[in-house]
Amino acid sequence: MKNKLQDIAILDFYQNKNRIKWLIFISSVIISFGSIYYTNLLVEELKERERRQIQLFAIALEYASVNTDALSFINEEIIKQNSSIPVIIVDLDGNPIENRNIKFKKNADADEIDKVIEKELEIMKAEYEPILIEDSFLVYYRNSELLTSLKYYPYIQLAVILVFGALAYAVFNQSKIAEQNRVWAGLTKETAHQLGTPIASLMAWIDYLRNSPVWEENKEVIKEMDKDVVKLRMVTERFSSIGSTPSIQPENVFSVVDEAINYLRPRISTKVEMKVSGYANNIDAMLNKPLFEWVIENLCKNAVDAMKGQGEISIDIIKESERYVFVDITDTGKGMEKNMYKKVFNPGFTTRQRGWGLGLTLAKRIIEGYHNGKIFVKNSEPGKGTTFRIVLNGTKEGISGFKREDFLSQKA
């Protein structure tokens, strides 16, 4: 019971992971804007301090011009103390008279110095109003480098955090996927190993029944039992293939699909009609037969559940070109809204009370992971049914890099 609850909790996490992502994103945005807001408050306070410092600088210059006795003190204690705020003093005609904290190139000539002062003066005029001294001079200034750096610091900090977060998420996500793959492969191989002994025993019992007096009387029953044992062996082979590189080779798609359907027919509701169609029976594609049959069975079983055991399943096989083969599986079930097209492949997504929601996840893993193909919801309409499309590589491989939309134009 405890393990069951843990599994349900994991599935709930997968089902709500988009909400969790949005929660983390919103929290990050709030923290980022809070940091920017607080830094801007500090910037405004420093701006005000620098403005008052320049005003004091201007007053000191004005006072020094009329009080020569205090000139030395004012020059040392006030004027020279400004070692960070760029300042340019001009006359009323706009001609520069003096400057402080303006950076020039080493060994700059007079023309270069004039150009730098002219450029700095334009920047200062755009930033702040000048301070008038004795109706004769104007003091222009701009933010110090410290204040400018602090102004842009939160944005740089935010960019660094975003880059680091993206890298950390990518690494964590890849390690998580790798761990899930290892668990998935280990679980399937262990399941295949555990199934081996009872299957061998069942095969022996069926051989015994074939040679026993009950054979004639129960021939049909024993034959069906034999089919199920063969199927169990195939399931074991499928599980053994997970986690290792399966053999992908040219196969007749029509024959593989038809064989899977013929096995399913007597094992599902008699009220479900299943048919396979294609303009030719000799369409080949690159696939692994046991794994691809598994995909067809999962999709058909999901379709039967969607139709509640009554309706029609149509499988259309289309050779688009030498590069692609399409397999469209259409049911007359309850359908779905467009926003559910991608969610149905998420682990744990299911509409059944007792389902684990792994059938379509497994199908996607087999088609896209092992066959280098594509599987997606081609179209669906609530109350009318759903069509899944499988895209397989034909005799010339050509699916890598394509998206779902690339395979929607061709119709069955």
Side-chain angles (χ1 to χ4, degrees):
M1 181 66 181
K2 184 178 179 180
N3 291 336
K4 179 72 173 179
L5 292 174
Q6 289 175 344
D7 291 337
I8 292 172
I10 292 172
L11 295 181
D12 287 342
F13 174 81
Y14 274 110
Q15 290 171 347
N16 295 300
K17 65 180 182 180
N18 287 332
R19 293 183 181 177
I20 294 173
K21 286 180 181 178
W22 276 110
L23 180 61
I24 294 173
F25 175 76
I26 292 171
S27 300
S28 301
V29 170
I30 292 173
I31 293 171
S32 300
F33 276 101
S35 175
I36 293 172
Y37 175 75
Y38 179 71
T39 306
N40 283 336
L41 289 180
L42 295 179
V43 168
E44 291 301 320
E45 184 176 344
L46 284 174
K47 276 184 182 180
E48 182 60 25
R49 287 186 181 183
E50 290 191 354
R51 187 185 66 81
R52 289 198 298 266
Q53 187 176 351
I54 292 300
Q55 286 179 334
L56 179 60
F57 177 83
I59 293 171
L61 287 176
E62 183 177 6
Y63 184 76
S65 65
V66 295
N67 294 276
T68 55
D69 294 338
L71 181 60
S72 178
F73 173 79
I74 293 172
N75 184 58
E76 294 295 330
E77 300 299 326
I78 298 178
I79 296 177
K80 286 188 177 180
Q81 290 303 313
N82 174 26
S83 59
S84 60
I85 306 172
V87 175
I88 297 177
I89 302 173
V90 301
D91 59 25
L92 295 181
D93 294 326
N95 299 312
I97 299 173
E98 188 179 345
N99 65 79
R100 289 189 65 81
N101 305 318
I102 305 296
K103 291 184 178 180
F104 304 102
K105 290 182 180 180
K106 190 176 181 180
N107 300 323
D109 57 29
D111 290 337
E112 290 176 333
I113 292 174
D114 290 341
K115 287 180 181 180
V116 172
I117 292 176
E118 183 180 352
K119 185 176 179 180
E120 284 286 338
L121 196 56
E122 290 179 2
I123 296 172
M124 292 176 180
K125 288 179 179 179
E127 283 195 12
Y128 297 109
E129 289 292 327
I131 299 173
L132 181 63
I133 302 176
E134 292 185 337
D135 296 327
S136 301
F137 306 102
L138 294 172
V139 178
Y140 285 96
Y141 70 100
R142 64 175 175 84
N143 294 333
S144 64
E145 290 187 1
L146 175 63
L147 183 57
T148 303
S149 299
L150 185 61
K151 183 178 180 181
Y152 294 106
Y153 171 75
Y155 301 100
I156 297 172
Q157 181 186 41
L158 179 60
V160 171
I161 291 173
L162 288 176
V163 171
F164 178 78
L167 290 174
Y169 175 79
V171 171
F172 175 77
N173 195 46
Q174 288 300 318
S175 63
K176 182 181 176 183
I177 291 172
E179 183 179 358
Q180 289 174 346
N181 288 336
R182 288 194 296 270
V183 172
W184 181 280
L187 179 62
T188 54
K189 287 184 179 297
E190 179 62 20
T191 302
H193 175 72
Q194 294 296 331
L195 285 173
T197 302
I199 289 174
S201 178
L202 286 171
M203 291 173 64
W205 280 111
I206 289 175
D207 285 338
Y208 172 79
L209 291 173
R210 281 200 184 99
N211 299 309
S212 70
V214 301
W215 167 252
E216 292 298 332
E217 184 179 350
N218 300 282
K219 185 185 297 185
E220 295 302 321
V221 174
I222 296 172
K223 284 183 178 179
E224 288 301 317
M225 288 174 61
D226 186 47
K227 289 181 182 178
D228 285 332
V229 172
V230 171
K231 186 64 178 180
L232 279 173
R233 290 180 61 189
M234 185 177 293
V235 169
T236 303
E237 183 180 347
R238 292 170 179 172
F239 275 112
S240 297
S241 299
I242 299 294
S244 57
T245 304
S247 174
I248 305 296
Q249 58 189 25
E251 296 279 359
N252 186 304
V253 182
F254 191 93
S255 297
V256 174
V257 172
D258 194 52
E259 188 175 326
I261 296 303
N262 287 335
Y263 175 79
L264 282 175
R265 277 195 179 101
R267 290 165 176 79
I268 60 174
S269 172
T270 56
K271 295 180 181 180
V272 174
E273 182 182 354
M274 305 178 72
K275 60 181 182 180
V276 182
S277 61
Y279 64 82
N281 294 344
N282 60 344
I283 301 175
D284 290 342
M286 303 299 293
L287 56 86
N288 178 275
K289 183 179 177 182
L291 291 179
F292 186 69
E293 286 181 347
W294 202 355
V295 172
I296 298 298
E297 289 173 19
N298 278 332
L299 289 172
C300 289
K301 287 176 181 177
N302 276 350
V304 172
D305 291 333
M307 298 185 298
K308 296 183 178 180
Q310 184 174 354
E312 181 180 305
I313 298 175
S314 302
I315 302 178
D316 298 301
I317 302 170
I318 311 147
K319 185 176 182 180
E320 190 273 339
S321 67
E322 292 297 321
R323 299 174 67 192
Y324 312 126
V325 174
F326 300 154
V327 180
D328 288 353
I329 301 176
T330 304
D331 64 60
T332 56
K334 56 187 177 182
M336 68 183 81
E337 298 290 345
K338 196 167 184 177
N339 62 354
M340 306 296 288
Y341 283 12
K342 291 184 178 180
K343 292 182 180 179
V344 295
F345 294 102
N346 291 342
F349 182 89
T350 180
T351 57
R352 293 181 293 167
Q353 291 183 348
R354 296 184 180 181
W356 286 102
L358 296 176
L360 290 177
T361 304
L362 177 64
K364 187 177 182 68
R365 181 184 290 267
I366 290 173
I367 294 297
E368 299 189 359
Y370 295 115
H371 289 79
N372 193 29
K374 294 288 180 183
I375 180 171
F376 52 87
V377 179
K378 181 184 176 185
N379 54 63
S380 184
E381 189 174 346
K384 292 189 177 181
T386 300
T387 298
F388 283 89
R389 169 162 282 185
I390 300 171
V391 185
L392 296 169
N393 285 298
T395 54
K396 293 183 179 179
E397 188 172 337
I399 292 179
S400 298
F402 286 81
K403 299 179 181 178
R404 171 183 178 274
E405 292 75 13
D406 298 317
F407 302 108
L408 288 178
S409 57
Q410 295 82 357
K411 297 181 180 178

